[in-house]
Amino acid sequence: MYQTKGKAKKHLRSFSLNAEIKSFQEVLASDVSLEMVEIPAGSFMMGSSAEELNSKNDERPQHQVNIQSFFMSKNAITQKQWQQVAVFSPPVTKTLISRPSFFKGYEHPVEQISWYDANEFCARLSKLTTRNYRLPSEAEWEYACRAGTETSFYFGQIITNQLANYSRKHISSNQKFNGQTSPVGSFPANAFGLHDMHGQVWEWCIDTWHDTYDDAPTDNIAWVNSNQFRVVRGGSWYSDSVMCRSAYRHRCNPKNKYEDIGFRVVCDDVKVNSP
């Protein structure tokens, strides 16, 4: 185990790195931790081609993006993690509701979270841990979701209720669907070890909305201008299968709070001591 100096007892939190699977645990309380998984550096083709089934014009032009390594939370932020930070960490720019979610469950993702709420959580988590936590850029999110794949989903071209939590809207099928969130980690992870990148809850990104990828950045820096809308990715328990594709993009007012919008966090300044 690697541990940062003087951090294990302060605020009942500690830091440990698992070198084998390249992840670390941020311990927020005696019974609350946040697992962060390393997303390795690499390049990928962001967006979709015109040949991809159900693709949209706002997913084009498909373009190469070069990504620096970073850490991303293994799951969407849970209600238990949210409550720990919202209740016990002092406000940075705004107050937070301790139990905002419509669907209750400590291990379920927190939802009914605005973009501003998510950023406040990141700011508090950064102060608590002395590391830089933030929302992912849109490019980071898609790269992490795909995990080296080029198919519609990280598990292939077809999505089923055994692989993700999504809706049966517009689907003629006898499959059973949840109609609400599920505990995080209920469905198979991708090759980077991330769960629920398809379905479950939409996830906020830093970026403002752009109608196409014309002049988009070719790195993992967030693309931000004066547009009032922010990007959400991944689809949700309420979304049909098309909206859960790796390349699918959606825009949302940053003030909005819905029972199918949550978030996950990234950290790009992890430093550990030598063993």
Side-chain angles (χ1 to χ4, degrees), residues 7 40 60 77 90 94 96 104 107 116 132 146 177-178 256 258 265:
K7 298 289 172 62
R60 291 186 277 276
I77 296 300
K94 69 189 302 288
L96 295 175
K104 304 300 182 184
E107 298 304 324
Y116 297 107
N132 180 39
R146 289 187 178 279
F177 293 83
N178 289 341
N256 287 353
Y258 296 124
V265 298

Short mmCIF file of all heavy atoms in Angstrom, two decimals, residues 7 40 60 77 90 94 96 104 107 116 132 146 177-178 256 258 265:
data_model
loop_
_atom_site.label_atom_id
_atom_site.label_comp_id
_atom_site.label_asym_id
_atom_site.label_seq_id
_atom_site.Cartn_x
_atom_site.Cartn_y
_atom_site.Cartn_z
N LYS A 7 -2.11 11.81 5.87
CA LYS A 7 -3.47 11.90 5.38
C LYS A 7 -4.38 10.80 5.94
O LYS A 7 -5.59 10.91 5.83
CB LYS A 7 -3.48 11.81 3.85
CG LYS A 7 -2.72 12.95 3.18
CD LYS A 7 -3.48 14.25 3.33
CE LYS A 7 -2.65 15.44 2.86
NZ LYS A 7 -2.32 15.35 1.46
N PRO A 40 -5.46 5.29 -19.24
CA PRO A 40 -4.14 5.50 -19.82
C PRO A 40 -4.17 6.47 -21.00
O PRO A 40 -5.20 6.63 -21.66
CB PRO A 40 -3.72 4.10 -20.28
CG PRO A 40 -5.02 3.40 -20.53
CD PRO A 40 -5.97 3.92 -19.51
N ARG A 60 -20.36 14.42 -35.74
CA ARG A 60 -19.40 14.52 -36.83
C ARG A 60 -18.90 15.95 -36.97
O ARG A 60 -19.54 16.88 -36.49
CB ARG A 60 -20.05 14.03 -38.14
CG ARG A 60 -20.30 12.53 -38.14
CD ARG A 60 -20.80 12.04 -39.49
NE ARG A 60 -22.24 12.24 -39.64
CZ ARG A 60 -23.16 11.39 -39.18
NH1 ARG A 60 -22.81 10.32 -38.53
NH2 ARG A 60 -24.44 11.63 -39.37
N ILE A 77 -20.96 8.93 -9.16
CA ILE A 77 -20.97 9.26 -7.73
C ILE A 77 -22.26 8.73 -7.10
O ILE A 77 -23.36 8.95 -7.61
CB ILE A 77 -20.85 10.78 -7.53
CG1 ILE A 77 -19.51 11.29 -8.05
CG2 ILE A 77 -21.03 11.15 -6.05
CD1 ILE A 77 -18.29 10.67 -7.38
N PRO A 90 -17.47 21.89 4.15
CA PRO A 90 -18.05 23.24 4.10
C PRO A 90 -18.23 23.71 2.66
O PRO A 90 -17.49 23.31 1.77
CB PRO A 90 -17.02 24.10 4.85
CG PRO A 90 -15.74 23.33 4.75
CD PRO A 90 -16.12 21.89 4.76
N LYS A 94 -21.53 27.27 -3.03
CA LYS A 94 -22.97 27.11 -2.86
C LYS A 94 -23.27 25.97 -1.90
O LYS A 94 -22.42 25.12 -1.63
CB LYS A 94 -23.66 26.85 -4.22
CG LYS A 94 -23.35 25.50 -4.84
CD LYS A 94 -23.88 25.37 -6.26
CE LYS A 94 -25.36 25.58 -6.39
NZ LYS A 94 -26.16 24.47 -5.84
N LEU A 96 -25.41 22.54 -0.74
CA LEU A 96 -25.85 21.32 -1.42
C LEU A 96 -26.91 20.63 -0.58
O LEU A 96 -26.84 20.62 0.65
CB LEU A 96 -24.67 20.37 -1.64
CG LEU A 96 -23.56 20.82 -2.58
CD1 LEU A 96 -22.42 19.81 -2.58
CD2 LEU A 96 -24.09 21.02 -4.00
N LYS A 104 -34.11 6.31 -4.03
CA LYS A 104 -33.27 6.25 -2.85
C LYS A 104 -32.46 4.96 -2.80
O LYS A 104 -32.93 3.89 -3.19
CB LYS A 104 -34.11 6.37 -1.58
CG LYS A 104 -34.98 7.63 -1.53
CD LYS A 104 -34.15 8.90 -1.60
CE LYS A 104 -35.05 10.13 -1.49
NZ LYS A 104 -34.28 11.39 -1.63
N GLU A 107 -26.13 3.00 -2.46
CA GLU A 107 -25.24 2.54 -3.51
C GLU A 107 -25.77 2.85 -4.91
O GLU A 107 -25.17 2.47 -5.90
CB GLU A 107 -24.98 1.04 -3.37
CG GLU A 107 -24.28 0.65 -2.07
CD GLU A 107 -22.96 1.39 -1.85
OE1 GLU A 107 -22.26 1.64 -2.85
OE2 GLU A 107 -22.65 1.71 -0.69
N TYR A 116 -24.02 22.84 -11.77
CA TYR A 116 -23.42 23.66 -10.72
C TYR A 116 -23.25 22.85 -9.43
O TYR A 116 -22.24 23.00 -8.72
CB TYR A 116 -24.28 24.90 -10.45
CG TYR A 116 -24.38 25.82 -11.65
CD1 TYR A 116 -25.54 25.92 -12.39
CD2 TYR A 116 -23.28 26.59 -12.05
CE1 TYR A 116 -25.63 26.75 -13.50
CE2 TYR A 116 -23.35 27.43 -13.16
CZ TYR A 116 -24.53 27.50 -13.87
OH TYR A 116 -24.60 28.32 -14.97
N ASN A 132 -6.81 17.68 -7.35
CA ASN A 132 -7.70 18.40 -8.25
C ASN A 132 -8.77 17.48 -8.83
O ASN A 132 -8.50 16.72 -9.76
CB ASN A 132 -6.90 19.05 -9.39
CG ASN A 132 -7.81 19.81 -10.35
OD1 ASN A 132 -8.76 20.45 -9.93
ND2 ASN A 132 -7.50 19.73 -11.64
N ARG A 146 -15.27 4.37 -24.44
CA ARG A 146 -14.93 3.43 -25.51
C ARG A 146 -13.89 2.41 -25.05
O ARG A 146 -13.94 1.25 -25.46
CB ARG A 146 -14.42 4.19 -26.72
CG ARG A 146 -15.51 4.96 -27.45
CD ARG A 146 -14.98 5.56 -28.75
NE ARG A 146 -16.01 6.27 -29.48
CZ ARG A 146 -16.91 5.69 -30.27
NH1 ARG A 146 -16.91 4.38 -30.43
NH2 ARG A 146 -17.83 6.41 -30.91
N PHE A 177 -36.99 -4.27 -17.98
CA PHE A 177 -36.20 -3.08 -17.76
C PHE A 177 -36.54 -2.50 -16.40
O PHE A 177 -37.65 -2.64 -15.90
CB PHE A 177 -36.44 -2.06 -18.87
CG PHE A 177 -35.94 -2.53 -20.21
CD1 PHE A 177 -36.70 -3.37 -21.01
CD2 PHE A 177 -34.68 -2.17 -20.66
CE1 PHE A 177 -36.24 -3.82 -22.23
CE2 PHE A 177 -34.20 -2.63 -21.88
CZ PHE A 177 -34.99 -3.44 -22.67
N ASN A 178 -35.57 -1.81 -15.79
CA ASN A 178 -35.70 -1.40 -14.40
C ASN A 178 -36.71 -0.29 -14.15
O ASN A 178 -37.41 -0.29 -13.16
CB ASN A 178 -34.33 -0.96 -13.86
CG ASN A 178 -33.37 -2.12 -13.68
OD1 ASN A 178 -33.80 -3.26 -13.62
ND2 ASN A 178 -32.10 -1.84 -13.60
N ASN A 256 -30.62 22.61 -14.69
CA ASN A 256 -31.64 21.56 -14.62
C ASN A 256 -31.24 20.44 -13.66
O ASN A 256 -30.07 20.06 -13.57
CB ASN A 256 -31.89 20.97 -16.00
CG ASN A 256 -32.68 21.91 -16.89
OD1 ASN A 256 -33.16 22.96 -16.45
ND2 ASN A 256 -32.83 21.54 -18.15
N TYR A 258 -32.73 16.61 -12.94
CA TYR A 258 -33.66 15.56 -13.31
C TYR A 258 -33.27 14.25 -12.61
O TYR A 258 -32.10 14.05 -12.23
CB TYR A 258 -33.67 15.34 -14.82
CG TYR A 258 -34.16 16.54 -15.61
CD1 TYR A 258 -33.38 17.11 -16.61
CD2 TYR A 258 -35.41 17.09 -15.36
CE1 TYR A 258 -33.82 18.20 -17.34
CE2 TYR A 258 -35.86 18.18 -16.08
CZ TYR A 258 -35.07 18.74 -17.07
OH TYR A 258 -35.51 19.81 -17.79
N VAL A 265 -16.47 11.80 -11.53
CA VAL A 265 -15.39 12.78 -11.41
C VAL A 265 -14.09 12.23 -12.00
O VAL A 265 -13.92 11.02 -12.15
CB VAL A 265 -15.15 13.18 -9.94
CG1 VAL A 265 -16.40 13.85 -9.37
CG2 VAL A 265 -14.74 11.98 -9.09
#
